[in-house]
Amino acid sequence: MSDIKIRAKSSNGVTTVKSLMSHVMETGLRKDKETGDPIPAHFIQEVTAKWKDDVVMTALWSGGVSKNPYLSFKFNGGEPGDPIEITWVDNQGNSETGTAEIS
Amino acid sequence: MIDAKRRTLLKGSLGAGAVGVAVGAGLLTPRAVLANWPEAAFKAEDQSTALNDLLGSDTIEDSDKVKIKAPDIAENGAVVPVTVEGEVDGAKSISIFAAGNNTPLIASFEMSENSVPFVSTRIKMAKTADVVAVVQTPDGLLGAAKPVKVTIGGCGG
């Protein structure tokens, strides 16, 4: 399946994380153009970001977040080499985790 | 058994309210869906209901400490970059609303003690409307709005 792209950079004691996830982010409101059938909702509901073992941010999402979501956030702390882990869970129970090191 | 519940839920979520009824009847606990995903807030069709469900209040103080960066004109409503920054201490969460969407609550970001109150993402906007950001602080809710003109809506099919 897809993967999560993560870039994390620390500068002056603040780490900035940028991430890109692959997901259709269907709201459930759209209809198939040919058959007219509704396209079932399929979107990421929760994104958890960890620095080492600490959760630094939890994002709760609706289908109103754009397809292939981009997410950037910052936290105090973080040294080059520290691990960052981002996990998403969608409304159909799928999940994915990506990791990166702070540069 | 768990899987059967999930199927029920998915079907239910297509028909508005069915899930709420199931939850109310104790057939499905919210925990069975996801730890703390605020379903009612995300399904709310107006901002104040969503705020009450999500944060327990819809009293927002307009504040220039809440900065929203978003385009003045979005040619494609399906992808509108939005950055929110709160120049406050102890922010607990940042929530983003698109006031013109059927369900205005787009996302809520829960901060930790290490967080800097800053988030950047891309959202869908159905039509020209305000992007509203609400920062939850220990002293209440601070908010700001930024109008975005949308030339092609991003929620329909």
Side-chain angles (χ1 to χ4, degrees), chain B residues 95-117:
Chain B
S95 304
I96 299 175
F97 297 83
N101 287 14
N102 285 343
T103 50
L105 178 59
I106 300 280
S108 184
F109 301 87
E110 293 177 352
M111 303 285 129
S112 72
E113 54 185 15
N114 294 318
S115 295
V116 174

Side-chain angles (χ1 to χ4, degrees), chain A residues 44-49 57-61 71, chain B residues 37 107-110:
Chain A
I44 296 175
Q45 284 186 307
E46 192 171 313
V47 183
T48 310
M57 203 218 38
T58 306
L60 305 170
W61 285 356
L71 170 65
Chain B
W37 196 71
S108 184
F109 301 87
E110 293 177 352

